[in-house]
Amino acid sequence: MGILNVTPDSFSDGGRFSQLDAALRHAEAMAAAGATLIDVGGESTRPGARMVSPLEELERVAPIVERIARELDVIISVDTSTPAVMRETARLGAGLINDVRALRRDGALDAAAATGLPVCLMHMRGEPGNMQDNPHYEDLVGEVSGFLAERMAQCAAVGIAAQKIILDPGFGFAKTVQHNLSLFKHMESLHLLGRPLLVGVSRKSMIGLALNRPVGERLYGGLALAALAVTKGARILRVHDVAETVDVVRMITAVESAE
Ligand code: 8Y4
């Protein structure tokens, strides 16, 4: 899964059309490099990021979802917690709802069910704005697993079949670096929930803090985690560096398919 960020920090450069073209070219390059999914997000989940209205979020993601659906042979994942964005982007050709809030917003369960799309449920506590305020767990893996099981049950209650669900430990969300490393180490216990796992660690601070690297120097650390995640059975990797990660996955596949 390649990450395509469409949150505009400024409109001062080329404007909407060139931004759309640049995003499409980026998506095209990731698809050519081997991404089978492209994750499109219009709401920043960075701590302190400004709240975005549903209309503003939709105006950011809808044009790019529409263009990718028309022009590229990839599954479009929409990174959203907003019911209206789920409904409208599904209509425009999205193939997966990726919700870091695991459908906890009002109306999100019903909206996701109405689209009929598969859903990625991610673990987080609190909101992006406060999730890193002194996170504490008595039983990290048990609590993450319990949360995901509860969200799967809520999905079942609105008619979202288990077969449509992907699960995600939520690296970097309401977790210290030690929590992230420990959860990664014990990721395999989440297979008990019976659904494919998605892992998103690309360029994140768990790499930065473990290796003392700024965000621009986290590629090798990220590739080590990608290889380890595949070895631990993860089925989807959410990454910025698609070509490099695809080589890692293909190399593992070459070995695993040998006699
Ligand atoms: C550097 C690079 C520093 C990236 C921070 C970040 C996940 C996700 C995000 C994830 C799923 C991010 C939307 C945070 N992370 N969706 N989204 N899983 N399913 N931060 O781990 O990339 S955004």
Side-chain angles (χ1 to χ4, degrees), residues 45 79 98 100 122 168 173 198 200 202-204 238 240:
T45 49
D79 157 21
N98 174 31
V100 299
M122 195 195 78
D168 185 333
F173 289 85
L198 185 156
S202 181
R203 301 185 188 173
K204 282 185 181 174
R238 180 180 179 275
H240 301 84

Side-chain angles (χ1 to χ4, degrees), residues 78-97:
V78 183
D79 157 21
T80 189
S81 302
T82 309
V85 174
M86 295 174 188
R87 292 179 192 271
E88 184 61 15
T89 56
R91 205 180 59 77
L92 296 172
L96 173 68
I97 295 168

